[in-house]
Amino acid sequence: TGGASGSAPTGASDPAADPFAPVVPDARGAARVLLDRMTKVRRVTDSELDEIAQRLARLGDDGLEVARYALAQSEAPMITCGARALLEGGTGADADLVVRRLRGSIPRGAAPVVLDELLELDPTRGTNELLVDLLAHDSGQVRRSARAALSAGLTRSSSKP
């Protein structure tokens, strides 16, 4: 779902549209280069994803359109990079897309990374309430990640004077 053909219609820049219907963005210039680089990364732990996400976030609309597209993909590295870019440079609606992706279907490898990014970069959305809700997620990996984040938060809050 969603190859890299330049002839596909655009529309990924509208977060109000179906955010997980991957429409290949009409990316040009730096955004296209970053999209091409992102598709070659195979591990969510690859440091190149950090650089790509930061650059996408700084590109503005073109970069965010690519990030929304990446968030809608099925490959964990694409999802994590897209989420990071949206959380760093996007709007509140973009951060809501990240939360929706976490609440829905998300590959095992992406879930803990995206959740950690959300908790770090957007604490207004990465709340204990969200973590509790994620404890009932269909994915065991999402449940484990939420439980670990809740435990870490409880440990931190209980160690404060």
Side-chain angles (χ1 to χ4, degrees), residues 4-26:
S5 97
S7 62
T10 61
S13 64
D14 180 9
D18 180 4
F20 301 115
V23 177
V24 178
D26 187 21

Side-chain angles (χ1 to χ4, degrees), residues 31-117:
R32 171 53 69 184
V33 170
L34 292 170
L35 175 60
D36 292 342
R37 282 178 54 196
M38 189 187 338
T39 61
K40 293 177 174 82
V41 177
R42 297 292 166 232
R43 292 183 333 268
V44 297
T45 57
D46 193 320
S47 62
E48 186 173 11
L49 289 179
D50 293 332
E51 177 193 338
I52 294 170
Q54 290 170 4
R55 291 187 61 200
L56 286 172
R58 288 192 306 260
L59 278 177
D61 291 341
D62 289 343
L64 295 175
E65 183 175 357
V66 167
R68 289 182 200 108
Y69 170 76
L71 184 67
Q73 300 306 298
S74 59
E75 299 83 12
M78 297 269 298
I79 294 167
T80 59
C81 189
R84 186 174 300 136
L86 292 173
L87 292 169
E88 288 182 2
T91 64
D94 290 320
D96 290 341
L97 290 177
V98 174
V99 172
R100 284 180 58 190
R101 185 66 204 238
L102 268 172
R103 288 182 183 275
S105 176
I106 186 166
R108 288 182 47 184
V113 177
V114 172
L115 183 56
D116 286 348
E117 293 288 334

